[in-house]
Structure formats: structure tokens, C-alpha cells
Amino acid sequence: MAEPRFAVVRLGSLGDIVHTFPAVAALRESLRNAEIIWVTHPRWKFLIESSGLASEIWAVESRDFASVRQLIKRIRALPWNSAIDYQGLWKSALLPFLGGVQRRIGFSSKTIREFGVPVLYTDRVDSATVHIADQNGELSQRAGARNITAAFRLRVSEADKGEVLSFLRSAGIERYIVLSPGGGWRSKCWPAERFGALAQCIRESLGLRCVVNIGPGEDDLAAALRAASGTAEPLFYNAALGPLMALLCGARCIVGGDTGPLHLAIALGTPAVAIHGPTDPARNGPYHVGHAPGNTFADDIVLRAPGGVTSHKRDNRTAESMLAIDVDSVFEAVRRRIGASA
């Protein structure tokens, strides 16, 4: 009898893929010999490979008609037990639908944000859980997983570790904290000037240098952070995903908003201080597999202003709830998270 074959669809982005790993790990744990083919954007192929969860990774550029047509042709060429759309968007749900997969699992309209998408699914799951990683796991459970999530491990190459070690040594850094001021939505970003002031507090009070992860298009954040950092001498780092993973692995702690690098660091086992504003940490906060109900964040510290309003509107202005969190509060959280004495 042939082993089961599943198409799992999660095209992006970084943090969302990290929050999909526990669900796919549950599928792999229950169906060890299953063929799991992960459909994603080419940018994230390396990350998914590092998890070891997928039998194959099929990359597709959803804005390129030729790429989509080729992928649909590949899907149609194979028999499938089911397809699981963890993304819940028209662009992701259409792929298995047009590919002719008979059983298509996705979220119901109760959970999904894009109107009408569930019409493309044969199995529509009403989520009973809160965190997005657990909700993803409910889709895996519908497909046959015993549990909604399972543990996974991301591999970091020795070459990437060596590259980062050389980079840090050249700057005279051994112990460090990673700051991640950027993000896809600026409304979710704590002000760069406050990150700079935080770097100064960390250097003066804890004797630690800060390494700042800066992504494409975030030069303005880097300039503002540097200008506010006094004598902290933050080191700025912009590298490919492999070296970034190595950098995060070695950090004493990461400080950031609800963004991909923070969730990636947590998946790698790095202690975290998460600063939340418009997104609800109960749904999008730090996630640890096997957490007890009500203890989603494990030992990580989540800061959110009382009365913070949840919104998924992509805004270029910093949310008021982010502005309500001061530097002293974040520094104290860092001190507690790394176990430093007052």
C-alpha cells in the first residue's frame, strides 16, 4: 500500500512559517513515512529545509503566472491524500484547488481573514484554540495527526556558526543581546530611538554589547537607533538566513516586536523579550511546543500596554500601544530574562 502524500501550503512569511512548523511536525510525528510536500515562496526554501520536516519543497512565485502554472501541473501529476492550506488566502487556497486535490483542508470563515476563501476547501475547520500555532495544528489533526503540535529542531550549519563567530570576534564581542527593531508593519515596531536607548542601558548596566538585526529597507531604523545609542557601540548585522540563525542561536536574549526574527530566535531556543502592540500575544506571541494552557509564553517575557487594541491593519505609523511601553520597562524585562541581578 502506498504511503500517504500530503501537500502543505504556507507561502510565507518568516514568522508565519515558524508558527507552522509545530503543526507539520505533528503530522510528521503521527505519519512518519508520509510524503509531505511543502509549497512555499522560493525565499523560504532554506528555512523549511532546516526543519527536516518536508520530504520535498516545491517553490512557487505566486505573482508569476508561469511559475503558478508549472506548480499546478506538478500537483495534478500526483495522487494526494489531502492538501492543507495553513495560510488561508486566495493565493494559497487556489493552488490545491486548481491542482485537482480532492480533499482540501483549511480554516472556516470563523478564523480566516480573506472573505470567501473557505469555499475552496472540502474540510473547513472551526478553530477552538487561540494561538495561531495551535490553530494550524487543528488543521493537521483533521488530516490525521494525533496531536495538534509536536517538537521540531532547526539545523544550523557549522559554516554559518563559524562565519558569525569570526564576525563577532572581529568586533571584540563574546556575549551579546540581539535587538530586532524592524518588521513588515511599522505599526508593530517599537521606536528605533528607544531601541538605541535600550542598547545604552544594557551596555552600562549589564556590560553587554547589542547586535542589531537590520533587514532590507530598514536603513532609517539603523540610523535612528545608532544616533540614540550613546556610547553603546551597537553592531549592525544584515545577512542571509543561515548566518542570522547562527547569530540568534548564540545570543543571551533577543528583544523585538511581533516579527519573524523574534519567532525564529524562540524556535532556536533563544530567550526572548517580546514587545506587543496591535497584535495580541495570546494569538501571535512567543510559542513553545507542549505549553500548558495559559502558559503559551513559557519563560519568555511579553510586554503589552494595558488596554492595547488588537488590529491587523498594516500602518506605517507606530501604534499608540507600542509608544506606551517605555525603555525602563523593557530593560527590566531583559535583566530578568537573562537572570542578571539588579
Side-chain angles (χ1 to χ4, degrees):
M1 184 175 178
E3 298 295 345
R5 178 183 291 118
F6 299 91
V8 301
V9 184
R10 181 78 236 193
L11 304 175
S13 56
L14 174 54
D16 294 324
I17 288 175
V18 170
H19 281 159
T20 304
F21 283 147
V24 179
L27 197 65
R28 173 61 73 201
E29 178 185 64
S30 299
L31 303 164
R32 294 191 180 278
N33 296 320
E35 188 173 2
I36 298 176
I37 296 178
W38 193 313
V39 178
T40 193
H41 187 278
R43 181 180 182 184
W44 306 118
K45 185 176 181 181
F46 175 88
L47 175 63
I48 295 167
E49 286 175 343
S50 77
S51 74
L53 294 172
S55 310
E56 294 182 43
I57 303 167
W58 290 0
V60 61
E61 175 50 75
S62 60
R63 297 182 180 181
D64 184 314
F65 178 75
S67 178
V68 172
R69 183 176 59 184
Q70 182 181 21
L71 175 74
I72 290 170
K73 183 178 179 180
R74 292 182 76 181
I75 294 173
R76 284 187 171 275
L78 295 174
W80 302 88
N81 287 70
S82 60
I84 310 170
D85 177 21
Y86 295 104
Q87 189 137 2
L89 301 177
W90 281 104
K91 67 180 180 180
S92 57
L94 275 168
L95 298 174
F97 177 80
L98 295 176
V101 181
Q102 293 298 302
R103 188 185 186 201
R104 302 177 302 277
I105 302 170
F107 294 113
S108 73
S109 57
K110 174 184 173 183
T111 304
I112 221 156
R113 292 202 186 103
E114 282 196 354
F115 177 78
V117 173
V119 73
L120 299 179
Y121 305 137
T122 58
D123 292 38
R124 303 173 187 94
V125 176
D126 287 329
S127 296
T129 56
V130 177
H131 199 283
I132 186 58
D134 291 330
Q135 292 178 1
N136 287 334
E138 291 180 85
L139 301 186
S140 293
Q141 202 165 47
R142 177 66 66 90
R146 289 187 299 272
N147 303 306
I148 62 173
T149 61
F152 64 95
R153 180 175 176 272
L154 300 180
R155 299 185 298 266
V156 181
S157 75
E158 292 302 317
D160 287 331
K161 289 179 182 178
E163 177 183 326
V164 170
L165 184 61
S166 296
F167 172 76
L168 294 171
R169 282 179 174 170
S170 68
I173 295 176
E174 292 185 7
R175 301 184 307 145
Y176 58 95
I177 288 173
V178 170
L179 305 182
S180 188
W185 317 352
R186 287 295 173 97
S187 57
K188 296 196 299 182
C189 298
W190 198 50
E193 294 83 0
R194 297 190 190 183
F195 271 108
L198 177 65
Q200 177 80 327
C201 290
I202 289 171
R203 183 70 185 273
E204 290 180 350
S205 301
L206 303 178
L208 295 171
R209 294 274 299 279
C210 289
V211 180
V212 184
N213 172 56
I214 290 293
E218 294 177 349
D219 292 345
D220 59 326
L221 297 181
L225 193 155
R226 187 191 303 274
S229 64
T231 58
E233 296 182 285
L235 185 63
F236 292 85
Y237 194 69
N238 182 358
L241 194 53
L244 174 61
M245 291 169 68
L247 177 77
L248 296 173
C249 274
R252 293 287 307 279
C253 179
I254 182 171
V255 183
D258 173 21
T259 59
L262 179 108
H263 296 302
L264 178 60
I266 292 166
L268 290 163
T270 302
V273 172
I275 308 171
H276 275 256
T279 55
D280 184 357
R283 182 185 186 275
N284 300 98
Y287 185 84
H288 297 265
V289 174
H291 66 82
N295 188 33
T296 304
F297 315 135
D299 293 326
D300 290 323
I301 297 174
V302 176
L303 301 174
R304 195 187 196 199
V309 177
T310 298
S311 171
H312 294 278
K313 181 181 179 182
R314 294 174 179 264
D315 200 324
N316 287 326
R317 296 174 299 175
T318 303
E320 290 296 323
S321 52
M322 296 296 278
L323 295 174
I325 300 171
D326 60 32
V327 173
D328 289 343
S329 298
V330 179
F331 172 71
E332 175 59 21
V334 171
R335 189 189 63 75
R336 287 191 289 123
R337 189 65 187 89
I338 69 173
S341 58

